[in-house]
Amino acid sequence: MALRRSGTEVWRDAVPSAAGRLVLDLCGNLIDGYARRRGPMPVVVVHAARENAGADDDRVPEIVDLVHRAHRPRWLLLRRPAPSAGPEEGADGPAGGPGDPAHGAGRPVPVLDDRTFTAATALVKDVAEGDWENHNRCQYRPYRMPRSLLMAALDQALADTTDGAGGAPDPRAVVARLAELRWRPRPARAPAGFWRSMAALLSPATALGAAIVACVSALAGNVGSPALTAATLGVLLVVATGYGVRRWAGPPWLGPGCRWFATTTFPVHSNSEAPVWSPWHPRLSRATLEDRAAEVVGQLITASGTPSGPAHDAAAVAAEREQARQFCLQLRTLALLEDLRDNHRPAWDLRHRKRTVPPLLLIPRATWASGALPVLRAISDVRSRRSEQDPLLVVAGVSHRDLADLRDPTPLPLPVLSASGSGRELDPLYRAWVTRSLRTGQAPSVNTALPWVLPVPVSSVGPTDCGHPAHTGEQRSTHRVPRSPWLLWSRWTLVATCLLGTTGGALHYQTLKERYCGMGGSVVWDRDLVRTVGGQCVGVVSETDWRPSRDAVLLDASGRAVGAEGLLKAIDEANRRIDPDEEHITLVFAGALSTRAQNRAEAVDVVRQLAGVYLAQHLVNDSQQSNRLPRLRIEIANGGQGMEHQGEMAERIVAFARREPTVVGVVGMGIHTPGSAGAMEQLQRAGLAVIGTTNSATGLARDHRNYVGMAPTDHEQATLLVTSLGAAAGRRAAVLRPEGTGGSGHSYTHDQAKYGHEALSAAGFDVRGPFEYPVEGTSAQLHETAGRICDSGIDVVYLAGRAGYIPSLMTELSTHASCTERSAHRVTVLVGDEASKKSFQDATMPFPAGARLDYTSLTYEEYPRTAQLYDRAAEVFRSGFDRVARPGDTGPSLYADGFLALSHDATTAFHTIAQEAGVPARGGAPVVLAALHSIEFQGSTGYISFRNADAVRPDRRGHGIGRYEVTGSGEGARLRVTGPCGRPAGGSVPLTRVCAQGKEPEASSSSPAGTP
């Protein structure tokens, strides 16, 4: 029969003795069932059943050795102390001891003489301080015995202060020496050298050490020096703090040994004051510890037999010494058992789940002289006194004559084995012991000798053994104790997890820093702003403390310096003033906040659009000017330089709108790029309406129902410019466009060339070309192209590209003789880009004789309401923005073109839609999108209407537009600007007649515009 049928079999042998099988099965059941029961562990005493049975007494140690052989290969933690040098086997013990025939007949407990006390003390110290078998192969790490080590420190301090004359030392002097030892014993042997071996192994001179150094160096390169320095300093600080606490801190912080010694109720203190032990009261805790140590030292001195003063009564001295020895032996035993109990107690390291078997103490021959019997008595006495369970399972062999004081006079009933030999019938023996000895047998009035002793008799009389049928050579086997899966949880696992977690977290944080923009740890939770390959921050600037570059442009707003950073700060402050419980909507302004250092014109455009959005927010939310709900909250989204990353920006806007239900739409999107259609598609699928400010793309409104534009389209601008040229009979025209597919990756240059070519062809011009020119950075190389124009006799040039290319083109045209010598050859340059941002009035610029430059603006600046808006803007910007110190400190005027007015009207349009549609009470973005094409209101640029005037061309909504004409009287003369002519938003005059000679521009009508 096997004790355990799972795991690897490690021992098998024939056991002819029924008592041997009984003990093996009993120990096996207690060991294997410990994890389930955690029940009390008995002191199993194997003894001869009859007196004067020498053969049976000889068989007792063999049974204990059998238990040792069977369970040692299981990798249990067990101890088999070496027998001490006592009397010969069978010799009588001391007077009054168990060897006395009269002992057991009502005689008192035998005394502990010097030799017995020394042997018993040595046995307990050996078990507590020595190495347990299998301590390197057990389920968990070897036992830690801080309480027993504290008792060893007391012994060393007492030995250090005892003089050679044999006098008793002062207990307080012993305590002082104990404090010098830091309440810890000196190591009995040199360290095992583990850390020295690890230091040698991890040295940079070895391959492993070099690999670790390389890994740390690579980690430092990835994580960055600040993070690595902080982590290194943190580790060093923890190590130094731990060493300082361990080396210099007082006893309250030295661990469980001192805490147990100061708080245990076993040594009843004689002081009238209650013991104090608290980390918050170190002085009182130290006093408690020292007082108890002094009292225990006094008992140790008394137990050692050292005279502490004049002895008047020998009997009283002997009785006092006997009491001290009993106390000291039981205190050491208590320390041992408490250490073992603590090693199996539930704790943070889950030791109680890892150690599923109890420790095993084996004593083949327990005699009085060897100190084993006093130790067994002390174990039973401590357990009875403390009423606490510990995991120690003891199996001891005792001769019959030493049994009298170890068991109840009435033996426990032994179990009857079944024919199958199953070990399940062994439980009655254990249950009978628990019922009779532990439940009531511990009471002093019952007079049970030692209630924790479970005796097992051995007899070879007759055909039976212990009352059971004899079995010849019945097999028994044991199996290795399995390790618990909880073994994976350990301090090293925790350290490794922390290191890996910290390293992984640092690397992940570095990855987030490389992928997302943000200050400090905000990138962990705020991922609305993505870092592109070029280092730009694209996405929603929500909770991220991101600002444009410090060299951003500042515009003059009636004597105030207005820039992107100041506007972002003002918008953020306005957002903070909105009560979260108050009705409000959120708009996302999408613009190119990351501008190229060499392209200030692009930065100027963004500042003007952002100023218009902030102005609308201020006027809507200002309770002194209006008290209209809902309030307006503005979030900023950056599309990168030239809006090159609109797709990524749109993805971030959609993600932000999912988290923020108050988002109702997007305003801005002022530049048309190849990614505009894809970005608009993402926003349309998300149900977000978009109102473009300065985007002149012709097809966006036709292809996307969620988009409307405030600016005139490229088609409208080209139509108005070509209309002003007059008759086209016999005149040649050419369209200039950048090389490639749009120049700098922008689609609006391609659209300008396309619709310019269509308008010129429709007007009857002989369109040549196309003429392409290279672009380097933000500069156009037009020398060769200008020569071709002049040599070909081109009368009309349609420039598709940036307005910044105008000076270069006019300069190159003025340097070619074919454009300057023939007075009849008058070149007219039409600019496809919005050029009102450039100041031509009274400017000096090379200009061919008789040449003319026509360009358009996105608004009709002569509209009276626009001037009123600028007056209100001047009042708003007077607060919160710095004065212009010197005239040259800022760039052009904030009101130089209609960008501010367009952004203001686009933002106001969203607020008007929300008001009329009942947002947010009736819904959010879907409601706004549904009402987008039904809105009409009077804006600062005219009468704004998003109703479709033509189902085929929904982009024709009566956009406001203006045309300007620039001429020069000769080389070096100042330029003269004529205009504007045009119409405000909502004007009903067709573009072909809006700038007809002698006709004044028509004011905005009170109804939506029809076809342009």
Side-chain angles (χ1 to χ4, degrees):
M1 182 192 69
L3 295 180
R4 186 178 181 86
R5 299 188 181 276
S6 62
T8 304
E9 183 177 293
V10 293
W11 176 85
R12 175 178 291 273
D13 200 356
V15 184
S17 169
R21 294 191 296 272
L22 178 65
V23 174
L24 275 179
D25 293 343
L26 175 62
C27 293
N29 283 348
L30 291 176
I31 291 171
D32 295 334
Y34 175 76
R36 300 188 307 272
R37 291 191 296 260
R38 301 279 176 174
M41 292 289 108
V43 177
V44 179
V45 172
V46 184
H47 63 90
R50 298 178 298 106
E51 297 186 28
N52 302 322
D56 293 344
D57 279 340
D58 293 339
R59 292 172 57 196
V60 168
E62 296 176 359
I63 294 177
V64 179
D65 289 337
L66 176 66
V67 175
H68 182 251
R69 292 196 309 271
H71 289 282
R72 181 179 181 181
R74 303 186 67 189
W75 291 358
L76 269 70
L77 281 171
L78 52 86
R79 288 301 308 275
R80 186 179 186 275
S84 62
E88 294 182 1
E89 197 69 32
D92 290 345
D100 191 337
H103 187 66
R107 292 177 62 89
V109 176
V111 298
L112 292 172
D113 58 5
D114 294 343
R115 190 172 186 178
T116 303
F117 175 68
T118 302
T121 301
L123 177 60
V124 177
K125 290 172 63 67
D126 180 48
V127 175
E129 301 173 22
D131 290 334
W132 291 69
E133 294 185 53
N134 297 322
H135 69 279
N136 289 327
R137 298 181 297 181
C138 58
Q139 289 180 307
Y140 191 34
R141 63 190 182 192
Y143 285 145
R144 292 184 175 181
M145 311 294 243
R147 298 157 187 84
S148 299
L149 292 179
L150 179 58
M151 297 301 299
L154 283 170
D155 292 335
Q156 290 184 6
L158 179 59
D160 292 345
T161 54
T162 302
D163 54 14
D170 182 11
R172 289 293 173 178
V174 178
V175 174
R177 175 57 183 162
L178 184 62
E180 294 177 0
L181 294 174
R182 308 304 303 165
W183 298 78
R184 291 187 296 268
R186 292 186 297 270
R189 57 187 177 184
F194 172 78
W195 294 111
R196 295 181 182 177
S197 302
M198 290 297 296
L201 181 63
L202 300 180
S203 172
T206 64
L208 180 59
I212 293 177
V213 171
C215 292
V216 172
S217 301
L219 180 63
N222 290 331
V223 174
S225 57
L228 183 65
T229 301
T232 303
L233 291 178
V235 171
L236 293 178
L237 179 62
V238 170
V239 173
T241 303
Y243 176 80
V245 169
R246 184 175 180 85
R247 179 69 178 86
W248 302 110
W253 292 273
L254 286 183
C258 291
R259 182 171 62 251
W260 164 80
F261 192 76
T263 56
T264 180
T265 59
F266 190 85
V268 180
H269 206 267
S270 59
N271 284 352
S272 58
E273 298 180 359
V276 176
W277 181 264
S278 171
W280 312 112
H281 300 87
R283 184 180 60 83
L284 296 178
S285 300
R286 183 189 296 271
T288 298
L289 190 63
E290 291 177 350
D291 288 344
R292 289 205 165 191
E295 186 158 331
V296 172
V297 168
Q299 293 293 310
L300 290 173
I301 294 173
T302 303
S304 65
T306 304
S308 58
H312 301 285
D313 188 350
V317 171
E320 184 180 359
R321 182 172 61 248
E322 177 64 19
Q323 292 177 0
R325 288 177 174 176
Q326 292 288 348
F327 170 80
C328 293
L329 181 58
Q330 291 184 12
L331 183 60
R332 293 182 191 276
T333 305
L334 173 63
L336 169 64
L337 299 180
E338 188 65 24
D339 281 332
L340 294 176
R341 193 163 71 94
D342 186 63
N343 279 282
H344 287 260
R345 180 183 293 135
W348 68 271
D349 59 353
L350 304 180
R351 62 189 69 169
H352 66 294
R353 294 185 179 274
K354 300 172 184 177
R355 294 185 174 121
T356 60
V357 292
L360 183 59
L361 175 60
L362 301 173
I363 305 176
R365 175 62 73 188
T367 63
W368 190 262
S370 66
L373 286 180
V375 171
L376 299 181
R377 294 180 61 88
I379 292 175
S380 182
D381 291 342
V382 169
R383 287 176 172 177
S384 296
R385 179 175 174 181
R386 301 295 296 172
S387 298
E388 294 174 342
Q389 295 183 19
D390 59 82
L392 182 61
L393 174 60
V394 183
V395 179
V398 179
S399 64
H400 187 274
R401 69 173 182 273
D402 294 330
L403 184 65
D405 289 304
L406 294 181
R407 56 167 289 177
D408 195 309
T410 305
L412 291 175
L414 294 176
V416 178
L417 294 178
S418 64
S420 63
S422 174
R424 295 184 179 274
E425 289 76 11
L426 295 175
D427 290 339
L429 175 62
Y430 180 79
R431 288 201 302 268
W433 169 74
V434 171
T435 302
R436 218 174 73 180
S437 293
L438 294 189
R439 290 182 181 174
T440 59
Q442 297 188 71
S445 60
V446 177
N447 196 23
T448 300
L450 294 177
W452 284 86
V453 170
L454 194 159
V456 177
V458 176
S459 176
S460 59
V461 177
T464 61
D465 187 357
C466 298
H468 303 289
H471 298 269
T472 302
E474 185 173 342
Q475 295 286 321
R476 288 292 188 269
S477 64
T478 57
H479 294 71
R480 180 154 299 149
V481 175
R483 295 179 181 269
S484 171
W486 292 103
L487 191 63
L488 297 175
W489 172 258
S490 66
R491 56 179 179 176
W492 298 114
T493 304
L494 181 61
V495 170
T497 302
C498 292
L499 289 177
L500 292 177
T502 303
T503 304
L507 292 176
H508 181 59
Y509 175 75
Q510 186 65 25
T511 302
L512 293 178
K513 287 286 290 183
E514 295 174 356
R515 174 61 178 159
Y516 303 99
C517 301
M519 302 296 293
S522 62
V523 294
V524 177
W525 60 84
D526 186 4
R527 303 180 184 179
D528 294 326
L529 203 59
V530 181
R531 194 182 305 275
T532 63
V533 177
Q536 303 180 59
C537 294
V538 176
V540 180
V541 187
S542 54
E543 299 179 1
T544 307
D545 189 17
W546 178 86
R547 290 293 182 264
S549 59
R550 295 183 179 179
D551 57 350
V553 297
L554 295 175
L555 303 185
D556 185 5
S558 304
R560 303 287 176 170
V562 177
E565 184 173 0
L567 289 170
L568 291 178
K569 182 179 179 181
I571 290 174
D572 185 63
E573 292 177 354
N575 291 340
R576 295 178 185 276
R577 287 194 293 267
I578 299 177
D579 189 348
D581 297 331
E582 191 176 19
E583 288 187 1
H584 68 278
I585 60 173
T586 300
L587 294 182
V588 179
F589 169 76
L593 273 71
S594 298
T595 57
R596 300 175 179 88
Q598 64 272 27
N599 190 4
R600 295 178 62 85
E602 192 175 273
V604 170
D605 294 347
V606 174
V607 172
R608 287 169 175 164
Q609 294 179 63
L610 196 59
V613 172
Y614 167 67
L615 179 60
Q617 181 190 30
H618 182 86
L619 296 178
V620 168
N621 294 348
D622 190 0
S623 59
Q624 296 181 357
Q625 301 189 39
S626 64
N627 191 21
R628 299 178 298 169
L629 292 178
R631 300 301 184 193
L632 191 57
R633 180 183 179 89
I634 303 296
E635 294 290 347
I636 308 299
N638 181 26
Q641 297 178 357
M643 295 291 286
E644 294 175 348
H645 302 281
Q646 289 193 41
E648 187 72 30
M649 180 193 66
E651 182 180 344
R652 297 294 101 191
I653 292 175
V654 171
F656 178 76
R658 291 196 186 104
R659 302 194 314 269
E660 181 56 59
T662 61
V663 175
V664 297
V666 179
V667 63
M669 306 289 286
I671 302 177
H672 185 48
T673 68
S676 296
M680 211 63 63
E681 188 69 27
Q682 291 187 62
L683 297 174
Q684 179 172 294
R685 287 197 301 267
L688 294 176
V690 181
I691 299 181
T693 51
T694 62
N695 196 328
S696 58
T698 302
L700 284 180
R702 180 182 65 246
D703 299 334
H704 304 280
R705 290 283 299 172
N706 67 320
Y707 175 84
V708 292
M710 299 292 298
T713 64
D714 294 321
H715 178 268
E716 292 174 320
Q717 296 178 60
T719 300
L720 181 60
L721 289 172
V722 173
T723 300
S724 65
L725 296 177
R731 300 172 67 183
R732 299 175 180 178
V735 177
L736 273 63
R737 68 184 186 188
E739 290 181 349
T741 57
S744 302
H746 287 196
S747 294
Y748 70 86
T749 56
H750 177 270
D751 292 346
Q752 292 172 16
K754 173 185 176 182
Y755 293 108
H757 189 282
E758 290 180 359
L760 290 171
S761 299
F765 285 91
D766 181 12
V767 183
R768 303 292 179 89
F771 293 83
E772 295 186 347
Y773 58 89
V775 177
E776 296 180 1
T778 58
S779 301
Q781 307 300 320
L782 292 165
H783 177 75
E784 182 179 349
T785 306
R788 294 176 59 192
I789 292 173
C790 295
D791 295 341
S792 302
I794 301 298
D795 298 295
V796 178
V797 176
Y798 195 95
L799 176 61
R802 297 178 180 276
Y805 303 159
I806 296 175
S808 177
L809 175 62
M810 303 307 293
T811 300
E812 297 296 340
L813 291 176
S814 64
T815 59
H816 284 79
S818 56
C819 286
T820 57
E821 293 178 353
R822 294 180 300 165
S823 59
H825 186 198
R826 301 176 181 274
V827 179
T828 300
V829 178
L830 307 179
V831 181
D833 191 19
E834 199 280 337
S836 62
K837 62 176 72 68
K838 301 191 67 65
S839 178
F840 294 103
Q841 182 67 36
D842 295 331
T844 57
M845 181 177 64
F847 218 82
R852 193 182 82 185
L853 176 70
D854 288 2
Y855 64 89
T856 60
S857 62
L858 303 185
T859 60
Y860 181 59
E861 289 297 315
E862 297 298 313
Y863 188 62
R865 287 184 177 273
T866 305
Q868 297 175 13
L869 177 68
Y870 292 159
D871 293 339
R872 300 179 69 181
E875 298 177 3
V876 172
F877 292 129
R878 286 193 186 100
S879 60
F881 293 88
D882 299 332
R883 290 181 175 274
V884 178
R886 296 185 301 273
D889 289 346
T890 60
S893 172
L894 184 67
Y895 318 122
D897 55 23
F899 285 17
L900 182 147
L902 287 173
S903 298
H904 169 272
D905 285 357
T907 307
T908 305
F910 267 118
H911 186 264
T912 303
I913 295 173
Q915 275 191 320
E916 295 186 1
V919 176
R922 296 181 180 178
V927 177
V928 171
L929 181 59
L932 178 63
H933 294 278
S934 62
I935 191 65
E936 296 176 351
F937 69 98
Q938 189 70 48
S940 61
T941 60
Y943 190 80
I944 310 299
S945 172
F946 294 157
R947 295 182 181 273
N948 292 336
D950 188 342
V952 179
R953 299 297 299 271
D955 55 305
R956 297 179 178 178
R957 294 183 173 88
H959 296 116
I961 192 172
R963 184 182 67 82
Y964 295 82
E965 181 179 307
V966 181
T967 57
S969 57
E971 183 177 356
R974 296 184 177 275
L975 302 180
R976 186 169 62 90
V977 179
T978 304
C981 68
R983 70 181 185 192
S988 59
V989 179
L991 291 176
T992 54
R993 297 172 47 199
V994 73
C995 288
Q997 186 176 3
K999 181 175 178 64
E1000 295 296 331
E1002 183 174 326
S1004 171
S1005 64
S1006 59
S1007 61
T1011 303

